[in-house]
Amino acid sequence: LAGISAAAVHISRSALAPIMLLSPLTAGAALVSPGKLYLGIDAGTQSTKALVYDAAQRAVVGRGAVSYEIIESDVVGRAEQDPAVWVDAMWRACREALADAGGDAASRICGIGVSGQQHGLVALDASYEVIRPAKLWCDTESAEEAAELSKSLPVPIVASFTASKLLWLKRHEAAA
C-alpha cells in the first residue's frame, strides 16, 4: 500500500461523500471524482477480503482475499486467532485487490473503509503489544463468567460478549 497517499488514510466526511451519494437512498447522484478509487477491507472470522471500487464506473475493479483458520484446541468452546495473522492477511488481500485493479490503482485510492468482527477480545500490554491470541466472538469458553455477570446486571450477558471474556481472562490468565 506504499502508493496510497497519507491523505487517503485520514477518512473525512467529505472523502466519504461520493460513496454516500451513490447509496440507493440518493439514487446515485453523479458527484464522484473521475479516476478516484475506494478500498474496502473486511476482516472476518475465516478470511480477510479487500476490494477496489471505482465510484465513477459503479464497479468493483479489483478483489483480493486471504483465508485463515481458528487455532486448533481441545478446549470446549475455545475459538481464538493470532491477530498477527489478520494484519498479514490484510496486507496480502489489499495487494491482491490493487494488483487486480491494475495500473496505478494504489495512487488513486481516495478513501478506505474497514469492517471487522465484533465482540472479540484482543488483549494488549502497556506498550499496545498483543499478549495472547484473540478470543473471537464465537468463543464461548467464558460461559460461566457470562452467567455470573447476567445475575448482577439488568440485561443478559452472553459468552460471546467481550465483558465475559475480560472476566475470564482475569480469572484464568491473571498474568496477562
Side-chain angles (χ1 to χ4, degrees):
L1 298 182
I4 296 176
S5 69
V9 176
H10 176 73
I11 306 297
S12 67
R13 186 177 181 112
S14 62
L16 295 176
I19 292 174
M20 292 186 290
L21 289 171
L22 289 174
S23 77
L25 297 175
T26 58
L31 296 175
V32 295
S33 302
K36 296 296 185 181
L37 303 174
Y38 299 89
L39 177 64
I41 304 166
D42 175 42
T45 307
Q46 299 176 349
S47 66
T48 292
K49 287 110 14 222
L51 63 78
V52 178
Y53 181 74
D54 185 321
Q57 294 181 36
R58 295 185 182 187
V60 173
V61 295
R63 289 181 168 86
V66 177
S67 297
Y68 37 79
E69 303 290 327
I70 292 175
I71 297 170
E72 288 189 36
S73 175
D74 293 332
V75 178
V76 175
R78 182 172 289 172
E80 298 178 337
Q81 289 175 329
D82 180 355
V85 170
W86 301 336
V87 173
D88 177 65
M90 185 268 309
W91 288 116
R92 289 174 45 208
C94 287
R95 281 193 296 268
E96 284 180 22
L98 290 166
D100 190 38
D104 63 346
S107 66
R108 295 170 46 213
I109 299 293
C110 65
I112 300 172
V114 180
S115 69
Q117 306 171 38
Q118 63 176 352
H119 298 301
L121 172 64
V122 178
L124 307 174
D125 65 14
S127 300
Y128 304 105
E129 297 294 324
V130 175
I131 58 174
R132 67 169 323 283
K135 295 192 85 50
L136 303 180
W137 65 270
C138 53
D139 184 297
T140 59
E141 193 174 7
S142 63
E144 184 178 312
E145 287 78 10
E148 181 181 336
L149 288 169
S150 293
K151 290 177 185 174
S152 61
L153 296 171
V155 294
I157 301 294
V158 296
S160 62
F161 286 3
T162 309
S164 61
K165 291 171 177 48
L166 284 168
L167 185 55
W168 181 92
L169 187 65
K170 180 180 178 182
R171 289 182 174 164
H172 297 274
E173 296 181 13

